[in-house]
């Protein structure tokens, strides 16, 4: 893998460094696979991402027809955001007709007022512009559409039946964690938490006074998100920072305690948001973990204990 530079919490902080990272990836693809990429899509994440539930309503003259559905849908796209925000995705959640709520398809039904409830995912216009600038400087042409990384992850690992049954996808990235919740085949909740694998590495670095490279090695090779009885007496070797330094060891229990604390807090935040919306009991297809953090030993077991349902690591469909 090629380490990223000029990025913090999934947002561009140094355009020249980010451009160099993009160029390095493109060169690596060409050198290793003789593969050139001329065009790409921009998928964004990080604390810049926010969501807004939009409700639009129109009067109905007798029965709901296709024109009514088009009109109320178009109003959703016109719902105002602040000038510094860019709409990324809009997902229809459900309709209401007069006093009847949670209607999936109101066509042909009679009533006086049709209401559409939608979820709008939007991002910072400035941060999206920065990402486009880095790609442009690296001679990479981006398509006009912008996507949310969380829904991209879900598209890669969920079938339509999974989305219909109800599923939560947690994309454990380096700088942040995205999540999307799906019920009845629709996106009903989304969000980003500014905590990712880089924070786990930094926690280990600070806790054991080791270098960033040593902390990353301990995280990927020895750490677990679950603390077991066998950890109490076990020791883990810290890789030598350079020749001539004396090798050292740390407690496996202490290492796993650091990782467990950070990941449990992250999962608990997501669970609380599910609880607030009354969605946890609707996850009949369970929880799917994606991203680099999904490979962490014990992540599935810890998520199972927090969410109380089936959890798996996502695989490409």
């Amino acid at each position: 893998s090629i380490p990223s530079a000029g990025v913090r919490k999934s947002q561009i902080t140094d355009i020249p460094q980010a451009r160099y990272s993009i160029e390095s990836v493109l060169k690596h693809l060409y050198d290793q696979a003789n593969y050139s990429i001329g065009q790409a899509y921009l998928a964004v994440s990080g604390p810049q991402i926010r969501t807004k539930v939009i409700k639009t309503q129109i009067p109905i003259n007798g029965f709901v027809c296709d024109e009514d559905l088009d009109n109320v849908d178009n109003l959703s796209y016109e719902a105002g955001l602040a000038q510094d925000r860019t709409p990324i995705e809009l997902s229809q959640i459900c309709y209401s007709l007069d006093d009847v709520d949670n209607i999936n398809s109101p066509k042909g039904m009679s009533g006086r007022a049709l209401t559409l409830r939608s979820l709008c995912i939007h991002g910072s216009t400035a941060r999206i512009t920065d990402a486009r600038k880095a790609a442009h400087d690296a001679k990479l042409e981006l398509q006009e559409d912008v996507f949310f990384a969380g829904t991209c992850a879900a598209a890669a690992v969920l079938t339509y039946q999974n989305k219909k049954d109800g599923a939560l996808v947690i994309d454990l990235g380096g700088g942040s964690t995205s999540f999307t919740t799906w019920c009845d085949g629709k996106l009903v909740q989304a969000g980003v938490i500014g905590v990712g694998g880089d924070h786990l590495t930094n926690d280990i670095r600070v806790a054991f006074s080791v270098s960033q490279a040593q902390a990353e090695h301990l995280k990927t090779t020895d750490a677990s998100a679950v603390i077991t009885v066998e950890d109490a007496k076990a020791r883990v070797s810290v890789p030598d920072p350079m020749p001539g330094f004396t090798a050292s060891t740390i407690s496996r229990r202490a290492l796993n305690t650091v990782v467990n604390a950070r990941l449990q807090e992250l999962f608990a935040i997501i669970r609380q948001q599910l609880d607030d919306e009354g969605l946890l009991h609707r996850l009949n297809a369970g929880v799917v973990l994606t991203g680099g953090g999904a490979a962490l030993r014990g992540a599935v077991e810890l998520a199972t204990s927090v969410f109380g349902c089936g959890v798996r690591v996502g695989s490409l469909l």
Side-chain angles (χ1 to χ4, degrees):
S1 63
I2 298 175
S4 59
V7 179
R8 185 172 65 248
K9 291 189 175 182
S10 304
Q11 296 181 157
I12 303 290
T13 57
D14 187 312
I15 289 179
Q17 286 189 7
R19 182 212 71 212
Y20 177 76
S21 294
I22 296 171
E23 291 173 341
S24 298
V25 171
L26 296 177
K27 184 178 185 302
H28 181 78
L29 284 172
Y30 184 79
D31 292 343
Q32 298 297 316
N34 195 29
Y35 195 82
S36 297
I37 295 179
Q39 295 183 335
Y41 290 97
L42 176 62
V44 296
S45 187
Q48 63 151 318
I49 297 297
R50 298 174 193 165
T51 61
K52 177 182 180 181
V53 174
I54 296 173
K55 289 185 178 181
T56 51
Q57 186 179 86
I58 61 170
I60 297 298
N61 184 20
F63 298 93
V64 178
C65 62
D66 288 331
E67 184 179 357
D68 296 322
L69 296 177
D70 290 340
N71 289 339
V72 75
D73 186 46
N74 290 334
L75 279 178
S76 297
Y77 283 94
E78 297 170 4
L81 293 175
Q83 289 187 347
D84 62 343
R85 307 298 296 176
T86 294
I88 298 174
E89 297 184 32
L90 186 69
S91 173
Q92 295 181 353
I93 298 176
C94 65
Y95 294 92
S96 298
L97 191 59
D98 296 339
D99 57 350
V100 181
D101 297 325
N102 298 318
I103 301 172
N104 287 328
S105 179
K107 183 178 177 180
M109 297 178 65
S110 62
R112 297 188 304 273
L114 177 66
T115 303
L116 172 61
R117 185 168 177 259
S118 303
L119 180 69
C120 177
I121 303 175
H122 53 100
S124 164
T125 302
R127 301 291 73 77
I128 293 172
T129 300
D130 290 343
R132 287 191 175 279
K133 177 68 164 55
H136 178 268
D137 290 351
K139 305 295 190 295
L140 180 63
E141 181 181 344
L142 293 178
Q143 297 294 321
E144 183 177 350
D145 292 334
V146 180
F147 298 91
F148 173 44
T151 53
C152 292
V157 300
L158 292 184
T159 64
Y160 175 73
Q161 188 62 47
N162 293 150
K163 294 177 180 179
K164 189 173 178 63
D165 291 338
L168 167 67
V169 178
I170 303 176
D171 188 35
L172 296 157
S176 64
T177 296
S178 306
F179 68 94
T180 55
T181 309
W182 305 79
C183 294
D184 298 324
K186 300 174 182 178
L187 175 64
V188 296
Q189 186 184 52
V192 177
I193 300 167
V195 174
D198 294 345
H199 297 83
L200 280 174
T201 301
N202 191 59
D203 288 348
I204 296 170
R205 180 186 66 81
V206 172
F208 302 105
S209 300
V210 295
S211 69
Q212 193 79 3
Q214 289 173 312
E216 183 69 20
H217 177 87
L218 289 168
K219 181 187 74 175
T220 57
T221 304
D222 299 294
S224 173
V226 176
I227 305 168
T228 66
V229 175
E230 291 76 16
D231 294 337
K233 296 181 180 179
R235 305 289 296 181
V236 174
S237 296
V238 178
D240 295 342
M242 61 183 65
F245 280 74
T246 303
S248 61
T249 63
I250 61 174
S251 162
R252 182 181 295 277
R253 182 178 181 84
L255 174 62
N256 292 348
T257 297
V258 170
V259 173
N260 172 271
R262 175 66 82 171
L263 204 57
Q264 174 132 7
E265 177 187 36
L266 175 62
F267 288 156
I269 291 172
I270 297 174
R271 172 174 173 140
Q272 185 60 56
Q273 297 198 34
L274 290 168
D275 284 337
D276 291 344
E277 297 293 330
L279 296 172
L280 186 61
H281 72 283
R282 300 180 65 184
L283 303 182
N284 297 312
V287 178
V288 184
L289 304 182
T290 64
L296 181 69
R297 187 180 297 109
V300 169
E301 290 82 355
L302 179 59
T304 300
S305 68
V306 172
F307 294 102
C309 62
V311 179
R312 63 180 173 89
V313 174
S315 57
L316 292 177
L317 298 176

